[in-house]
Amino acid sequence: MKILQKCGIHFLIYCTLVCLAMPAISDEGMWLYTNLPREQLASKYDFQINDAWAKHLQLASVRFNSGGSASFVSSDGLVLTNHHVAADTLFKLSSESNNYYETGFLAKTLSEELPAPDLELNQLVSIEDVTDQVQKALVSAADSDAAAAARRAIIADIESQSNQATGLRSNVVTLYGGGRYHLYRFKKYTDVRLVWAPEAGAAFFGGDADNFEYPRYCLDVTLFRVYEDGKPAKIDHFLRMDPNGATDGDLIFVSGNPGRTRRIYTADALAYQRDVAMPRTLDLLRRKEILLQQYALAGPEQDRRSRDDLFGIQNSRKAYVGMLNGLQDPAFFSQKRSAEKALREQLQASEKLSPLDNAWDQIAAAVTKRKSIVGQSGSLRSRLYNLAETIVLLVEEDTKPNTERLEEYRDSDRESLLQELYSPAPLYEDLERVELADELARMIDDRGGDDPIVLSLLDGLSPRERAADAVANTKLFDVTARKSLVAGGMSAIDNSNDAMVLLARKLNTEFRRLESINKKISESEKQGYGKIAEAKFAIEGDSVYPDATFTLRLAFGQVRGYEVDGKTIEPFTTMAGAF
């Protein structure tokens, strides 16, 4: 039996000096650590999971708050992750003279390890089922607005009480679309330092086929180290390297934090994703991809500055293309509708369960409402603008009780929010101008040039001119200026003449209008999916794992070869294959 690591989008299978890779054919994935498939593993593989084994693996697993998974691999704080998970930090640490993404990095001593500017790593310490607490708070809600407010308040209260009692980052996670709620407590590591990263040529060797799609010959790994009180952290639970590696047929486990799946979605909701949401997202990603490619043509430094954003956009585009291809398969929708019909028939036939027809109708109505706001946006996608928007919202939300704030601005996430907001990572004026100008142009495409919000934002200037003015007349490049605005409260925001802050203030009303609409739609969806989830629990039990929520899950399978285009692929590769 081997324990592997799930990092980002694909699996980090196994690495040796010759960079061997083997396919892991997964039987099952995304199991909750509170509901592991013990009987299934015992009957199929004669493997017994005990609580100590599961707890050890849970505590050895690490989540990158920026997106991605990792593992502790030494008692003195070493963390192993994918190179593409580390790429964001590599670019933030790089400069025109030191491009660590391209040339790699090695700290030969502890003193040479480079502090990451804003990286937070999370270790999942405990999980508590708080479903009853949340659902009891919703019983007396008269309508969806009241239910949304009650849900927001009880979750904020649970998180706040947990944080005060334990000192741990505490987040209530919604599972099964609203059928279950679990409180996850994390130990945070915010002093994280880069130890080693290979050159991009080795990490991304073979391009998409050998990296994004299937890691075979690439050295897609990076090492960080977590510190506490200025010293390498002492780690009790970490994964040890087996010098003998895995063998054909071995049972293997993958522990990681998959981003998001939508298996609980109804056919109506998936049709909206297929016909509206995903095609629109793909159009946006392709637009950004072309924009950054054109920007990079200006020179080597422009190429370096845009590489991280471009890499992330390309990965997202490829992921969405794959998802959309699946949704466009008529056989998939036929199976989905048949499953829904079968569930409804089971409910109709049951004397103990209500038919729940309104659950599907409720979700269908929510989908219709989502269609009504497609193309409306209350935000602009650029790093500088995001800083301004965060500051404006943070200061406003701070005037409210914690239980009434937007989720991202509750006390439970405040330290993480401020660490990102006050990051000293570099920002580049020319890249900010290009991205902000394109965002303003996109808003014209979506809303029309005579839209009142568009006219207010541009104020007589073209998108390029407005972007140039906003970038030239903002102080948000300076961390001290950001801190000053937050410390000054509403008075500082209201009296600020910072051009980027003024843009954020102009969009604030529209942002909050759309946020309110989205909250109502989401509440209706949660109520509908919660009913469906309860019905499925009553019929099937909790033998089905929930959709991914960027929380820790366990998958398992065997090391095996596979067939492609009539050719047998062996379970292990050698360096000869790289040639």
Side-chain angles (χ1 to χ4, degrees), residues 4 27 253 464 486:
L4 306 181
D27 287 324
F253 291 87
R464 285 189 179 184
V486 173

Side-chain angles (χ1 to χ4, degrees), residues 92-141:
K92 288 176 179 177
L93 289 172
S94 294
S95 64
E96 188 171 3
S97 57
N98 290 308
N99 189 343
Y100 298 125
Y101 178 81
E102 289 292 340
T103 64
F105 175 80
L106 172 63
K108 297 180 181 180
T109 65
L110 291 177
S111 62
E112 293 179 357
E113 294 176 359
L114 299 179
D118 52 20
L119 190 56
E120 176 185 318
L121 302 190
N122 299 147
Q123 177 193 42
L124 179 60
V125 174
S126 67
I127 305 170
E128 180 183 342
D129 191 335
V130 294
T131 304
D132 288 345
Q133 289 177 256
V134 175
Q135 291 182 343
K136 284 179 182 177
L138 305 178
V139 171
S140 59

